[in-house]
Amino acid sequence: MAIPGVHRPTSKRPPRLADALDFWGLSASAANVAMQMSWPEVGRGVIESPVESGALMVHPWKRLRTTASYLAVAILGTDEEKLAMREAVNRAHRQVRSKPGAKVKYNAFDRNVQLWVAACLYVGFEDGYQLLNGKMSPEQAESFYQASASLGTTLQVHEDMWPKTRAEFDAYWTEACTRVSIDEEVRAYIDDLLHLRMIPWFLRLPLGGLLQFLTTGFLAPHFREHMGVEWSAADQRRFEHLFLFVGFVNRFLPRFIRNVGRPQMAYVRWRIRREQALV
């Protein structure tokens, strides 16, 4: 993704992954799901999943809430909170596995597939952060990356599976993207997702155009090509200009308003205290 400008730090310390828990990052949620689904095992697992309560196209707001909770816990949570989240997600994942004779074999506990999903989440955070704050230097990018392993290790990804440096992550990402393959059924699901057909028409009518534009803009060209999504140079310029404006405005907003991580963690802790389901 093209990142305009130079880094505009919001503090004197090096950037951290937690700094990316910005309200505007939510606008990349649908694009990130589409990226994850571009691996066959994830795409087929999503559309064939028997877990109706977690289906994005059926319960979009619940799915947004549970995903936001997972990300907040993975980045800000204690070891005990990460364990609670892992157990909650595991209960849902136990049901997600391919049937005998399935076109694509998958299992939601496959660590390599979870590594891909976590890598997509990281790329989404890094892209969103840089769109708002400008391009990081290699040293800043390394600092930002260093706490990212928990995006995967909060599930089944082993610590030693996560690339140790940002350069090693680049090598992994380049290789992993060669496995992108989207069949017609998954492409149709992603098309519904990109057009936000899971939200009510009365919300889609006033907001759908902007949200669809943002969702498509967050996809890298490689993914747009496989998904059959059109995106022009003019679209790219508008997308970059929008985030130059948003990034400028964001700098004047107090952190407690624009950062959604801590309020989400408070919500997760409230649910844990009340012994309510996290997923």
Side-chain angles (χ1 to χ4, degrees):
M1 177 178 291
I3 304 295
V6 295
H7 189 245
R8 303 176 298 277
T10 56
S11 68
K12 293 182 179 180
R13 61 165 173 74
R16 299 179 300 199
L17 184 61
D19 297 332
L21 289 168
D22 190 280
F23 171 81
W24 273 88
L26 298 177
S27 63
S29 299
N32 208 269
V33 173
M35 286 169 57
Q36 296 167 29
M37 290 181 66
S38 67
W39 262 28
E41 297 89 342
V42 182
R44 299 306 305 185
V46 168
I47 68 173
E48 295 172 3
S49 171
V51 187
E52 189 269 349
S53 63
L56 174 60
M57 302 305 290
V58 181
H59 302 289
W61 308 121
K62 180 184 178 184
R63 182 60 182 269
L64 179 62
R65 185 260 296 172
T66 56
T67 300
S69 295
Y70 174 81
L71 295 174
V73 170
I75 296 172
L76 301 174
T78 64
D79 289 343
E80 292 77 14
E81 289 160 350
K82 289 174 182 175
L83 177 60
M85 179 60 71
R86 180 184 299 120
E87 291 174 346
V89 175
N90 283 351
R91 281 193 289 273
H93 278 182
R94 287 190 184 97
Q95 304 174 60
V96 183
R97 59 182 64 223
S98 55
K99 302 268 192 300
K103 179 164 56 174
V104 175
K105 292 184 178 180
Y106 59 85
N107 184 327
F109 282 87
D110 186 322
R111 291 189 176 94
N112 289 311
V113 174
Q114 289 190 0
L115 177 61
W116 163 253
V117 170
C120 290
L121 292 172
Y122 175 77
V123 167
F125 275 127
E126 186 181 86
D127 285 348
Y129 177 81
Q130 291 192 116
L131 280 168
L132 289 171
N133 299 285
K135 187 173 180 63
M136 292 184 283
S137 68
E139 294 77 19
Q140 290 167 331
E142 192 64 40
S143 171
F144 185 86
Y145 177 75
Q146 278 310 303
S148 61
S150 61
L151 293 174
T153 57
T154 302
L155 292 179
Q156 270 71 44
V157 177
H158 289 164
E159 186 85 35
D160 59 5
M161 295 175 66
W162 191 256
K164 295 295 183 291
T165 65
R166 183 62 184 79
E168 290 180 22
F169 180 86
D170 259 345
Y172 164 79
W173 183 251
T174 300
E175 176 64 25
C177 284
T178 65
R179 292 199 66 247
V180 168
S181 178
I182 304 172
D183 65 31
E184 289 304 316
E185 288 180 271
V186 174
R187 187 174 288 109
Y189 185 102
I190 291 175
D191 186 68
D192 286 344
L193 180 63
L194 296 181
H195 287 85
L196 304 167
R197 296 187 179 112
M198 68 285 196
I199 66 175
W201 67 268
F202 55 84
L203 291 177
R204 195 163 62 241
L205 193 61
L207 300 176
L210 173 61
L211 293 176
Q212 183 184 338
F213 175 75
L214 290 170
T215 298
T216 307
F218 272 105
L219 292 171
H222 179 70
F223 294 96
R224 293 192 202 114
E225 180 181 349
H226 278 272
M227 295 172 191
V229 177
E230 294 183 1
W231 186 256
S232 67
D235 290 330
Q236 184 64 32
R237 285 193 299 272
R238 285 194 293 271
F239 185 77
E240 292 174 6
H241 291 161
L242 171 63
F243 274 90
L244 281 173
F245 172 74
V246 171
F248 175 77
V249 172
N250 241 29
R251 292 172 62 81
F252 297 97
L253 294 177
R255 184 178 295 273
F256 75 88
I257 291 178
R258 54 188 167 85
N259 190 289
V260 298
R262 298 199 181 282
Q264 191 66 36
M265 274 307 308
Y267 175 70
V268 170
R269 286 164 180 156
W270 177 80
R271 293 187 72 91
I272 290 174
R273 286 196 303 272
R274 293 176 61 89
E275 299 183 350
Q276 294 186 354
L278 296 180
V279 173

